[in-house]
Amino acid sequence: MNSAITRHVAFLVYPGFVLLDLSGPLEAFSVATEAAPGSYRLSVMSLEGGEIGSSASLKVMTQAAEADAIDTFVVVGDFGLASRAISQEMTDFIRAASTGARRTASVCMGAFLLAASGVLDGRRATTHWRFAPKLQAMYPAIRVDGDRIFFNEAGIWTSAGMTAGIDMALSLIEEDLGREAARTVARMLVVYYRRPGGQLQHSSLLDLDPESDRIRHVLSHAREHLSDPLPVEQLAEVAHLSVRQFSRAFLAATGATPAKAIERLRVEAARTRVEDGRETLETIAQVVGFMDLERMRQSFIRVFGDPPQAMRRAARTIQMGK
């Protein structure tokens, strides 16, 4: 792989930043540069310059912030941003750097800095799922979706928490250098190749996290056999319980009935495929066990509030950067 253009990727940090928000995406671009020499020039900036301490007490050396000649401007996060004032100097610099850059991105809570600077006004954005409601409340001009891994709207990218910054970086690399280059970086990092931006930030299996090993085994079995009918009798057999005992144990362990839990697992699996756009909705309904499109449509409306057709259109619009 060769690159005819050297793109300057500048990361903005500040005291207390989350180290993983920087190190994950930074390493992705670094590996891309090794694979395609000359493709990127990387820098880590701060308003002050010099050593900047992270939330993990590890210090990194930075250069004084300069808004000029940046191709990709990346603002990293800090969990304290949802509850403290952001300086005028910081917002002024972010606006200037974003205006001059070809594209701007935030990792995790970095969305709060972009929001405070006005960069996200009128756009859809994401951040760590735990703080998405706070971002929406503080900045009503933004349309916040706390489910997504990352968003791209017309060159303004936002990612979910922590490791989602790597997924976003892989997508940025793919945009610059192509799919095979991004795959090469993913293999070197030993990560899943670029989770789709529309994938949920956390699995329903995390919400349904029972203490019972028996019920966890049932959920794992269901996830691996979603295309099967999965009647309650079959699930009870996997748990080695009677149907009545299983139904009571499942509800006590997860707070949901078996039918509701299976529905959640199916819509989660279907949503990634729906937003990916490469399969027909009818095929997806069959693959994840809904059997027909109408049943899948009703489940999507119950869980997400929108039918799969609307979610596919929205994903296509976001992918096109409109």
Side-chain angles (χ1 to χ4, degrees):
M1 292 179 290
N2 292 302
S3 175
I5 302 173
T6 299
R7 303 169 176 86
H8 180 199
V9 182
F11 292 83
L12 179 66
V13 302
Y14 42 86
F17 74 93
V18 174
L19 187 61
L20 184 58
D21 288 0
L22 170 67
S23 62
L26 179 62
E27 189 62 27
F29 281 107
S30 177
V31 171
T33 302
E34 292 177 6
S39 54
Y40 295 109
R41 176 169 67 90
L42 308 176
S43 64
V44 181
M45 299 180 173
S46 67
L47 296 181
E48 305 88 341
E51 288 190 343
I52 300 294
S54 70
S55 60
S57 300
L58 183 69
K59 294 182 178 180
V60 299
M61 184 59 69
T62 69
Q63 65 184 61
E66 295 182 1
D68 299 330
I70 297 175
D71 175 84
T72 302
F73 177 52
V74 184
V75 180
V76 304
D78 164 20
F79 288 117
L81 290 171
S83 57
R84 71 165 181 263
I86 299 169
S87 72
Q88 187 69 46
E89 183 182 12
M90 176 67 81
T91 57
D92 287 347
F93 175 76
I94 290 174
R95 275 194 298 271
S98 180
T99 298
R102 176 170 64 97
R103 59 193 180 189
T104 295
S106 66
V107 182
C108 194
M109 301 290 285
F112 281 79
L113 289 171
L114 295 189
S117 305
V119 174
L120 297 180
D121 286 356
R123 301 179 186 274
R124 285 195 281 192
T126 192
T127 187
H128 192 289
W129 62 268
R130 181 180 175 186
F131 295 94
K134 184 71 175 291
L135 181 64
Q136 185 66 82
M138 290 176 65
Y139 302 101
I142 306 170
R143 290 169 289 168
V144 179
D145 186 336
D147 283 336
R148 287 183 169 273
I149 296 292
F150 60 84
F151 264 114
N152 169 27
E153 284 217 354
I156 305 297
W157 297 66
T158 54
S159 85
M162 314 297 278
T163 58
I166 298 175
D167 297 290
M168 182 178 68
L170 289 171
S171 191
L172 293 168
I173 291 165
E174 180 179 321
E175 185 176 76
D176 294 338
L177 305 179
R179 180 180 293 261
E180 187 53 39
R183 287 183 181 274
T184 297
V185 174
R187 286 194 291 267
M188 286 297 295
L189 296 177
V190 197
V191 297
Y192 180 84
Y193 171 61
R194 197 174 65 78
R195 290 177 293 174
Q199 183 169 324
L200 297 181
Q201 288 194 31
H202 55 95
S203 167
S204 288
L205 284 177
L206 294 179
D207 288 339
L208 304 170
D209 187 21
E211 294 183 2
S212 166
D213 290 339
R214 193 180 302 226
I215 301 302
R216 276 202 301 270
H217 177 60
V218 169
L219 285 169
S220 295
H221 173 86
R223 188 82 180 257
E224 294 167 5
H225 298 84
L226 283 179
S227 60
D228 296 342
L230 296 176
V232 67
E233 292 81 6
Q234 179 186 340
L235 299 178
E237 185 176 342
V238 171
H240 302 292
L241 294 170
S242 70
V243 170
R244 176 173 293 185
Q245 287 175 322
F246 170 70
S247 297
R248 289 177 177 173
F250 192 95
L251 181 61
T254 67
T257 65
K260 288 295 183 183
I262 298 303
E263 180 182 56
R264 288 174 61 185
L265 293 177
R266 283 180 168 144
V267 296
E268 177 182 306
R271 178 174 178 170
T272 299
R273 292 171 177 266
V274 165
E275 295 184 326
D276 182 66
R278 288 180 288 187
E279 300 170 286
T280 68
L281 297 179
E282 290 79 5
T283 297
I284 296 169
Q286 288 285 335
V287 167
V288 303
F290 282 116
M291 305 311 295
D292 62 65
L293 179 55
E294 178 57 24
R295 292 181 188 178
M296 185 170 80
R297 189 187 73 83
Q298 292 174 1
S299 291
F300 264 62
I301 292 173
R302 274 194 296 270
V303 176
F304 299 127
D306 288 308
Q309 295 89 338
M311 297 183 77
R312 171 163 284 186
R313 286 194 299 270
R316 187 178 298 122
T317 298
I318 292 166
Q319 291 165 3
M320 293 174 64
K322 294 182 179 179

